[in-house]
Amino acid sequence: MDSNTPPSSSAAAGSADPSAARRNSKRPKYSRFTQQELPACKPILTPGWVISSFMLVSIVFIPIGVASLLASHNVVEIVDRYDTVCIPESARNDKVNYIQSPGDKTCTRNITVTKHMKKPIYLYYQLDNFYQNHRRYVKSRSDAQLRSNGSADDVSSCEPEDKSNGQPIVPCGLIAWSLFNDTYDFSRNGQQLSLNKKGISWKSDREHKFGKNVFPRNFQNGSLIGGGSLNSSLPLSEQEDLIVWMRTAALPTFRKLYGKIEDDLQANDVIMVTLENRYNTYSFNGKKKLVLSTASWLGGKNDFLGIAYLTVGGLCLFLAMVFTILYLVKPRQLGDPSYLSWNRNPGWQ
């Protein structure tokens, strides 16, 4: 072959710079992370580890569940439903008309204390079948207006309770408009029991969500009154009944704190409650209840947490016992190759 013959194309390709091929490759740069070569913990779930884990969970959860149930059972709680009994016999066929008509709605209830109740005794009102989580209801408020006096005209999200007589309502919206307005007075043996209504709302709400310079204005001045009125001389940050009510509930049955009784109540004490039955729950078949309750380190009376801990702890204890019995009755070698499918079925193809 002539030495001057030009090289073929294949020869030219083979003599190309290898660094150019590497530059044109789509293969990612090597790293231990992308190739999953980093050190890793790969625990082996041996019978001993599994049984020990279940036993540890049961040892921790069962005592917590027992302590939670005991704390809940030590809470003294008295619940008195009054929405029906506080309607006169003559008006029980038309409760809505009775509650909407003007006049005295005073009602007296006698509550007998079943066990000794240590102060402070928390007083709640409970409403049933009241959907505070309804989308239109929850949106009908103005947080900017509640915080700042300069945002009094910000009522765009408060319909239909945004303005009255052409002037903005402060506080506006359906939540504030439907403020709970039943009232309670308590006496024991003819002596008035003091009710502390300070500190019943969240501190963060008082300091950050309700302004100290925002005062009620033009509130409940419409043709239809939804609930309670507000003291126009007090800023919203000091009107704690409103603050408690404005923190809407997630469920249709809820309790809201009304006040605290700062006296001990003895067993068999008869508490006379003088209440004003004014809040209309009859239009939507709602219920009203008065709740007196003490508190424990866990809070109020609620067995759910204790039952949940006991259920999980009991289930883990049961599984630990079952696995222990199986391990003792029919043990097997860890990683026994005889259990592989091709060893158990030699003729398998």
Side-chain angles (χ1 to χ4, degrees):
M1 179 182 289
D2 188 357
S3 60
N4 296 326
T5 302
S8 65
S9 60
S10 60
S15 62
D17 186 4
S19 62
R22 286 197 297 270
R23 285 197 298 270
N24 294 330
S25 173
K26 297 182 181 298
R27 184 172 60 185
K29 183 181 179 180
Y30 170 81
S31 70
R32 298 184 67 189
F33 176 76
T34 58
Q35 297 302 318
Q36 300 185 18
E37 295 178 356
L38 293 175
C41 177
K42 301 177 181 178
I44 300 176
L45 296 179
T46 62
W49 274 106
V50 173
I51 294 171
S52 300
S53 300
F54 279 124
M55 286 297 297
L56 179 63
V57 172
S58 64
I59 290 173
V60 173
F61 274 46
I62 290 177
I64 295 178
V66 172
S68 300
L69 278 180
L70 290 177
S72 177
H73 289 171
N74 288 333
V75 172
V76 183
E77 182 178 279
I78 303 173
V79 181
D80 180 62
R81 180 182 173 183
Y82 66 88
D83 58 287
T84 301
V85 295
C86 284
I87 297 289
E89 290 282 351
S90 58
R92 290 188 179 178
N93 292 329
D94 193 359
K95 300 175 184 176
V96 176
N97 181 60
Y98 168 79
I99 204 69
Q100 291 179 345
S101 62
D104 185 25
K105 303 294 193 304
T106 303
C107 178
T108 301
R109 300 286 295 160
N110 290 324
I111 299 176
T112 302
V113 179
T114 55
K115 294 174 62 177
H116 175 63
M117 303 179 72
K118 295 182 179 180
K119 63 179 181 181
I121 301 167
Y122 298 93
L123 171 65
Y124 302 89
Y125 56 88
Q126 177 176 320
L127 299 181
D128 294 1
N129 202 36
F130 192 118
Y131 288 83
Q132 270 198 319
N133 59 350
H134 191 280
R135 179 179 59 86
R136 293 186 62 188
Y137 184 85
V138 171
K139 291 176 61 177
S140 185
R141 63 185 293 165
S142 174
D143 290 325
Q145 185 198 64
L146 296 174
R147 283 193 302 266
S148 172
N149 190 40
S151 302
D153 294 332
D154 185 1
V155 296
S156 57
S157 60
C158 293
E159 293 183 352
E161 293 300 320
D162 51 354
K163 293 184 178 181
S164 177
N165 300 322
Q167 297 297 320
I169 300 173
V170 181
C172 67
L174 288 174
I175 306 177
W177 175 77
S178 60
L179 174 64
F180 186 79
N181 62 341
D182 283 5
T183 59
Y184 311 99
D185 286 319
F186 297 87
S187 61
R188 176 181 56 180
N189 299 327
Q191 295 183 347
Q192 192 80 10
L193 287 173
S194 60
L195 190 65
N196 182 11
K197 295 181 67 66
K198 293 292 185 182
I200 61 175
S201 61
W202 289 24
K203 183 179 179 181
S204 58
D205 288 354
R206 296 193 302 269
E207 294 183 352
H208 303 292
K209 291 188 176 183
F210 293 81
K212 294 180 173 59
N213 61 342
V214 182
F215 293 84
R217 189 196 320 164
N218 210 23
F219 186 69
Q220 299 289 20
N221 285 342
S223 58
L224 184 62
I225 304 300
S229 59
L230 297 174
N231 188 342
S232 60
S233 63
L234 289 178
L236 296 186
S237 61
E238 296 182 17
Q239 310 218 29
E240 298 199 46
D241 284 330
L242 173 69
I243 299 175
V244 171
W245 180 257
M246 293 290 286
R247 181 166 284 277
T248 53
L251 299 176
T253 298
F254 57 87
R255 294 177 180 179
K256 291 186 180 292
L257 187 60
Y258 183 83
K260 295 177 287 186
I261 298 176
E262 303 290 353
D263 294 298
D264 289 352
L265 298 180
Q266 306 300 325
N268 300 320
D269 279 352
V270 178
I271 307 301
M272 188 176 73
V273 184
T274 304
L275 59 90
E276 289 288 339
N277 181 31
R278 295 179 294 191
Y279 199 70
N280 183 11
T281 57
Y282 307 100
S283 299
F284 51 88
N285 295 321
K287 301 176 183 177
K288 293 190 290 187
K289 298 176 182 178
L290 179 64
V291 181
L292 284 85
S293 175
T294 58
S296 66
W297 59 270
L298 196 61
K301 192 175 187 65
N302 189 350
D303 293 341
F304 173 78
L305 188 62
I307 293 174
Y309 271 104
L310 285 177
T311 301
V312 175
L315 181 61
C316 290
L317 179 62
F318 172 76
L319 292 176
M321 295 174 62
V322 170
F323 290 157
T324 301
I325 294 173
L326 291 176
Y327 181 67
L328 294 176
V329 172
K330 194 177 180 181
R332 56 175 286 188
Q333 179 184 354
L334 184 65
D336 189 353
S338 64
Y339 284 87
L340 297 173
S341 59
W342 53 82
N343 289 333
R344 298 177 64 184
N345 303 299
W348 178 80
Q349 296 296 333

